[in-house]
Amino acid sequence: MKFYRLLILIALLLTAMLTACDDGSSSGPGDPPWKPDLIHHIGDAGDVGQKSYIVNTPDGEITNTINVVNDHNNGIDAVSDGNWIKIQWVPFIDDIEYVRIYRFRKELTGIVDHVLLDSIRTVDDESYVDNSLNEVNIGQELFYYIEIVDEHRQFSISDTVSYKLVGKALLNSPENQVTINGSDVINFVWTRIPSGLVVKYRLLIFNENDEIVWSYDEYDIDPSEYDLEVLYNIPDDLETGTYYWRVDAFGNDILVNSGSESALNMFYYIKN
């Protein structure tokens, strides 16, 4: 009998030890992952000058400086593929299992249309494109935040970022995939956006390496003009090759970053 009592005592001691080691959480050991940083809109392709943004790290705030702003490093922004928004985050400090992306709007009554957009496994890219949007969302300020979850199911939530879409410029000329033979001038034509939400357009020409060959800002100062035209005087150093062009629109809301990117058209230039 004494032997069985000893076994019972040992079992009780083991149970007490295991209970003492349990922190009462099913998420596993350790602290939650470091809070993620979503990047606000910090610039646009064709901007001149450095752009900076602040990142929170365990050692304090640091400032990241971008020398050349492009479509891949400028934070939340419109994209050319559709009436969609791209969000971007700073690389995570901890090992993360998956990321949840959320979106909502604000009205006078409070937060509305709060949805979980997606849950994705972490990948090398530090961005996500919300392709669930359409023309209905044009003119709405949309807010985003992410939740990151580690292997122990512990989580952290970012702050929010926001962006507002405006309509896209319609590219007219030159037509997509056209060949231009030895011209001294190319006449770029696009249809302005009639919503009144746009104050400026930026014409961008890219080479095959996604580098900007030329950019030009055209202000929307005459609403009576339906189409806008810009002449590009071809420089002597423009070589024969494939080029792409698009028109970015910039919104007139001084309190909210807003804009759009047109479709991306291609032309093949043959130098004399």
Side-chain angles (χ1 to χ4, degrees):
M1 182 65 68
K2 291 182 178 180
F3 176 73
Y4 289 111
R5 289 180 178 176
L6 180 60
L7 287 179
I8 293 173
L9 179 61
I10 292 174
L12 290 174
L13 288 173
L14 287 174
T15 301
M17 291 173 62
L18 290 173
T19 302
C21 292
D22 186 2
D23 62 0
S25 171
S26 61
S27 60
D31 297 324
W34 186 260
K35 181 179 178 179
D37 279 309
L38 278 179
I39 304 176
H40 293 265
H41 185 77
I42 58 176
D44 297 278
D47 282 355
V48 178
Q50 294 181 333
K51 301 287 184 178
S52 299
Y53 62 96
I54 295 176
V55 178
N56 293 296
T57 74
D59 298 323
E61 292 184 348
I62 62 173
T63 300
N64 283 352
T65 300
I66 300 174
N67 292 321
V68 179
V69 175
N70 57 48
D71 296 327
H72 309 292
N73 64 5
N74 65 340
I76 187 171
D77 195 15
V79 297
S80 63
D81 295 332
N83 289 305
W84 305 337
I85 291 176
K86 172 208 72 177
I87 63 171
Q88 183 184 6
W89 51 83
V90 178
F92 304 133
I93 293 176
D94 301 298
D95 292 331
I96 300 302
E97 284 288 295
Y98 56 93
V99 183
R100 294 189 181 115
I101 298 99
Y102 296 86
R103 185 189 71 218
F104 63 90
R105 293 190 302 109
K106 288 182 180 179
E107 292 184 352
L108 293 178
T109 55
I111 292 175
V112 297
D113 298 337
H114 184 219
V115 293
L116 170 62
L117 289 175
D118 208 344
S119 181
I120 60 173
R121 292 285 175 178
T122 54
V123 292
D124 293 335
D125 293 336
E126 285 92 33
S127 63
Y128 176 85
V129 174
D130 179 8
N131 58 13
S132 68
L133 302 174
N134 52 50
E135 293 184 358
V136 174
N137 302 107
I138 292 175
Q140 298 178 345
E141 183 180 9
L142 299 173
F143 294 82
Y144 294 84
Y145 68 92
I146 61 173
E147 177 187 33
I148 56 174
V149 183
D150 65 16
E151 62 178 350
H152 303 298
R153 300 300 181 263
Q154 298 179 122
F155 64 91
S156 293
I157 297 174
S158 73
D159 291 331
T160 62
V161 296
S162 69
Y163 196 81
K164 182 189 293 186
L165 293 173
V166 300
K168 288 177 175 288
L170 177 63
L171 306 187
N172 297 330
S173 177
E175 295 181 0
N176 193 27
Q177 301 183 2
V178 71
T179 297
I180 299 174
N181 289 287
S183 173
D184 295 328
V185 176
I186 302 177
N187 189 21
F188 290 97
V189 182
W190 67 91
T191 300
R192 62 185 298 276
I193 300 165
S195 65
L197 298 177
V198 176
V199 293
K200 183 177 71 174
Y201 299 91
R202 176 171 293 168
L203 169 63
L204 296 158
I205 303 176
F206 304 88
N207 62 20
E208 291 183 279
N209 297 321
D210 202 27
E211 299 166 333
I212 296 177
V213 174
W214 189 66
S215 68
Y216 179 83
D217 288 354
E218 177 78 9
Y219 288 85
D220 192 10
I221 58 178
D222 188 356
S224 65
E225 295 182 10
Y226 187 67
D227 288 342
L228 295 176
E229 302 182 19
V230 171
L231 297 179
Y232 174 49
N233 296 303
I234 299 177
D236 293 336
D237 59 356
L238 189 70
E239 299 296 332
T240 295
T242 300
Y243 296 90
Y244 302 87
W245 72 287
R246 77 164 195 252
V247 173
D248 290 357
F250 296 85
N252 61 3
D253 193 331
I254 61 175
L255 300 178
V256 180
N257 289 308
S258 58
S260 65
E261 298 178 2
S262 75
L264 192 67
N265 276 10
M266 182 269 281
F267 66 92
Y268 188 75
Y269 173 70
I270 300 177
K271 185 176 183 178
N272 281 339

